[in-house]
Amino acid sequence: MEKYDLAVIGSGPGGFSAAVRALDFGKDVCLIEAGHVGGAGIMNGALTSKTMWELSHDYAVAAAVDRGYRASGLQVDFTKVKKSVMKAAKTKQYQILSQIETFSKKPGQKGSLTIKYGFARFKDRNTLEIDHGKGEQKEIIGADYIIIATGTSPRELPDLKVDQKRIINSDGILNLEKFPERMMIIGSGIIGCEFATIFSNFGHTEVHLLDRAHRVIPFADNDVSDFVSGNLQKNGVIIHHTANLRIVNKKKDYLEVVLDYEDGHSTVIEVDVVLVSIGRDPNTANLGLENAGVQTTPHGYLKVNEECATGDFEACNIFAAGDVTGHKALYCVAEEQGRFIVEAIFGQLIYPTDYSHMPTLMFFKPEVASVGVNEKILQEKKIPYKAAYYSNEMVNRTIAMRNTNGFVKVLVSDDGQDRILGMQAAGPQASAFIVSVSYLMNSKSGMNEVLRSIHPHPSVTEGIQECFRVFTKRSIFKPEAFPDKIKSWSWKPLELQNEQA
């Protein structure tokens, strides 16, 4: 039986980052992968969907006719789009494989990385059985420490069978042979809205989006949700608010979708493809967790503590990273957790993981980014705050780009300290400049520290600068002159208002 210092189940962002960080400590690592190298983050998730988004974004810009020029003979071939997406995924996969081969076990080498393909199952807390499939004999390996990083899979509807042909989930997007003429997307969360954006950007698909609630992206602040919804509709997406799916009737050449609305009426819609996007479930089944004494939550996520350990840290040798832990389902969270676990295990932990400041990117039209908390969270926790809003319509760089659809919204504490609590932004480069505010939050900077910075002109980030100036009534353009573009407000819990009164 082969023995390793560390075994990692899953080669996605959490698993791969953990395996590579262990190399820095000179450890022998076994990385076990049942599917694609790089996990869903590469082949069926972030990289492929964002590549498709970038291509759709470029196409939409090229097809625009409001900038003084018009592209003639513009065409798009879905087969070639798929090839470009697959090329991006393969580029990253082969980078991962190249690194694995570079650090494969060699005589006299301190630290090594071995990859084994198959399904891993616990025999006990230090032993894994690997089923390579295809009738091969199962392999047994041992490890001092084991990290579970098996990720999640698209959630299924109980009465709707996904065939990855006409009824698909996010794993089946690349199975399509052409742009569907009509598509129904079930679910208005981030993934559903991203694919609604992608297919509407290409302009070859009539996109229907089923939203069971009154707003898309229901966890976001209402103004952000309304912004996203309005832009989807401008892009041609037909949103069915307060609708529930009753049934999908399969016909020979089309699908018949029956929707029931909150007000009691029903609608029948004919489409070619149904995309199910109602969330994801953890991949914890058949891992043999009971053999290792590892517990799960009622929803199947692994129970972990602040060290990502499945038990008391001092006595535990089984950890978990990524979506399977139930924390924010973000690539950056998984990656950070993987590194954090290895540093904690091998005694080099510099700082704990802070989930409150994790940035989130949403690839809509335009892209939306956020960091920290939003108004809904603050009100739920009864934390007083002040807010400021600054539209990209007032920012010189976005005016020059002819791309003013966006904003910056900043939240600071209303306790005399003006701590930065969160920020939401939309528009060009939002995914890039959100990082600067994330850094300020991590460094515990207040609003006064931010106001000392000078932003280059013309730059998109001048919108951040001006948004912070709104709090102190020092902005160059004033809310009184542009009340729909520059705003500020505050909120306090009712009991605090009564107390101060």
Side-chain angles (χ1 to χ4, degrees):
M1 182 177 72
E2 294 179 3
K3 182 75 182 298
Y4 296 88
D5 298 311
L6 173 67
V8 183
I9 309 174
S11 67
F16 185 68
S17 65
V20 173
R21 188 71 181 101
L23 287 177
D24 298 335
F25 295 97
K27 304 301 177 180
D28 291 323
V29 185
C30 181
L31 186 60
I32 307 163
E33 175 53 55
H36 300 289
V37 171
I42 302 299
M43 188 55 67
N44 297 316
L47 185 57
T48 48
S49 65
K50 274 52 178 182
T51 303
M52 189 173 279
W53 180 88
E54 292 287 356
L55 297 172
S56 76
H57 175 263
D58 289 347
Y59 182 86
V61 171
V65 295
D66 60 346
R67 298 188 173 199
Y69 53 82
R70 182 191 296 267
S72 61
L74 190 64
Q75 297 180 341
V76 59
D77 184 326
F78 189 73
T79 301
K80 292 181 179 179
V81 168
K82 287 202 300 181
K83 284 182 179 179
S84 185
V85 171
M86 287 301 300
K87 188 174 181 180
K90 289 289 186 181
T91 296
K92 182 51 65 175
Q93 280 190 330
Y94 278 99
Q95 288 174 355
I96 292 172
L97 287 169
S98 295
Q99 179 147 295
I100 290 171
E101 292 302 323
T102 299
F103 290 96
S104 60
K105 201 155 194 175
K106 301 179 181 70
Q109 176 178 302
K110 186 180 180 182
S112 65
L113 183 52
T114 301
I115 187 165
K116 294 182 182 291
Y117 295 96
F119 288 89
R121 180 179 173 84
F122 283 92
K123 288 182 70 68
D124 57 46
R125 293 190 65 84
N126 292 96
T127 312
L128 294 172
E129 179 183 75
I130 305 174
D131 185 352
H132 300 290
K134 300 179 182 178
E136 293 185 27
Q137 184 176 355
K138 294 178 181 179
E139 182 179 3
I140 307 296
I141 68 163
D144 294 333
Y145 296 94
I146 298 173
I147 297 175
I148 304 169
T150 48
T152 56
S153 298
R155 185 174 299 148
E156 297 183 1
L157 282 166
D159 300 322
L160 188 62
K161 177 76 173 171
V162 170
D163 58 21
Q164 302 297 27
K165 294 178 181 177
R166 292 199 292 172
I167 300 175
I168 65 175
N169 55 33
S170 57
D171 288 354
I173 291 291
L174 297 180
N175 288 355
L176 297 175
E177 296 180 357
K178 62 180 181 178
F179 287 110
E181 288 186 23
R182 302 156 301 181
M183 171 185 279
M184 170 67 73
I185 299 176
I186 301 172
S188 61
I190 292 178
I191 296 174
C193 288
E194 283 187 353
F195 280 115
T197 301
I198 289 167
F199 282 95
S200 60
N201 274 348
F202 280 121
H204 285 60
T205 304
E206 178 184 280
V207 181
H208 295 263
L209 181 65
L210 189 156
D211 170 31
R212 293 179 60 187
H214 292 267
R215 287 184 168 87
V216 303
I217 320 295
F219 57 84
D221 287 338
N222 290 347
D223 55 352
V224 175
S225 175
D226 291 344
F227 176 83
V228 173
S229 181
N231 282 296
L232 285 170
Q233 290 171 319
K234 287 177 185 175
N235 220 35
V237 177
I238 303 165
I239 302 177
H240 301 270
H241 292 294
T242 68
N244 282 287
L245 176 70
R246 185 198 302 178
I247 194 171
V248 175
N249 297 313
K250 291 185 178 181
K251 306 296 183 180
K252 181 181 177 181
D253 298 318
Y254 61 91
L255 299 171
E256 195 176 77
V257 180
V258 182
L259 301 181
D260 296 326
Y261 292 80
E262 190 179 80
D263 63 5
H265 84 279
S266 300
T267 297
V268 181
I269 300 169
E270 184 178 305
V271 299
D272 303 293
V273 171
V274 168
L275 169 60
V276 180
S277 179
I278 56 170
R280 299 177 69 87
D281 290 322
N283 296 326
T284 51
N286 303 316
L287 285 174
L289 299 176
E290 65 280 3
N291 298 330
V294 175
Q295 296 182 324
T296 61
T297 70
H299 294 291
Y301 294 99
L302 296 178
K303 289 184 177 180
V304 296
N305 58 23
E306 60 183 11
E307 289 97 1
C308 295
T310 60
D312 180 66
F313 176 71
E314 297 300 329
C316 187
N317 74 307
I318 300 175
F319 296 76
D323 294 3
V324 78
T325 65
H327 284 287
K328 286 185 178 180
L330 299 172
Y331 192 107
C332 57
V333 170
E335 196 172 71
E336 184 67 19
Q337 284 180 326
R339 295 172 62 83
F340 170 84
I341 292 167
V342 170
E343 290 164 0
I345 291 173
F346 299 115
Q348 296 290 325
L349 189 61
I350 300 173
Y351 48 82
T353 300
D354 185 351
Y355 299 102
S356 63
H357 297 162
M358 292 291 180
T360 301
L361 307 180
M362 294 171 276
F363 288 79
F364 308 144
K365 184 181 181 183
E367 63 186 78
V368 178
S370 67
V371 65
V373 294
N374 60 22
E375 292 188 74
K376 283 186 176 179
I377 293 173
L378 291 171
Q379 291 179 15
E380 182 181 314
K381 293 183 176 181
K382 297 186 177 181
I383 298 173
Y385 65 87
K386 296 183 291 186
Y389 170 96
Y390 200 87
S391 170
N392 281 358
E393 292 180 66
M394 304 301 299
V395 179
N396 286 15
R397 179 62 185 273
T398 53
I399 292 172
M401 295 168 74
R402 311 309 300 136
N403 192 359
T404 59
N405 186 21
F407 63 87
V408 172
K409 184 172 84 168
V410 176
L411 306 174
V412 301
S413 63
D414 194 6
D415 56 2
Q417 298 183 37
D418 291 334
R419 292 171 292 110
I420 305 170
L421 302 176
M423 178 174 122
Q424 290 92 50
Q429 303 174 22
S431 59
F433 67 68
I434 199 79
V435 177
S436 62
V437 173
S438 178
Y439 170 78
L440 291 166
M441 293 174 67
N442 285 325
S443 63
K444 305 281 193 269
S445 297
M447 188 167 62
N448 289 333
E449 284 81 1
V450 178
L451 291 172
R452 293 173 187 167
S453 301
I454 298 176
H455 293 248
H457 177 82
S459 66
V460 175
T461 61
E462 285 180 289
I464 299 176
Q465 178 177 254
E466 285 299 289
C467 194
F468 275 103
R469 286 174 175 168
V470 169
F471 285 113
T472 58
K473 303 187 184 302
R474 289 190 282 172
S475 59
I476 294 172
F477 288 92
K478 306 299 183 184
E480 293 82 357
F482 302 94
D484 58 330
K485 298 178 178 61
I486 307 171
K487 308 171 188 177
S488 65
W489 62 96
S490 62
W491 181 89
K492 287 184 175 69
L494 185 60
E495 54 267 34
L496 188 56
Q497 293 180 34
N498 294 335
E499 182 181 310
Q500 292 176 344

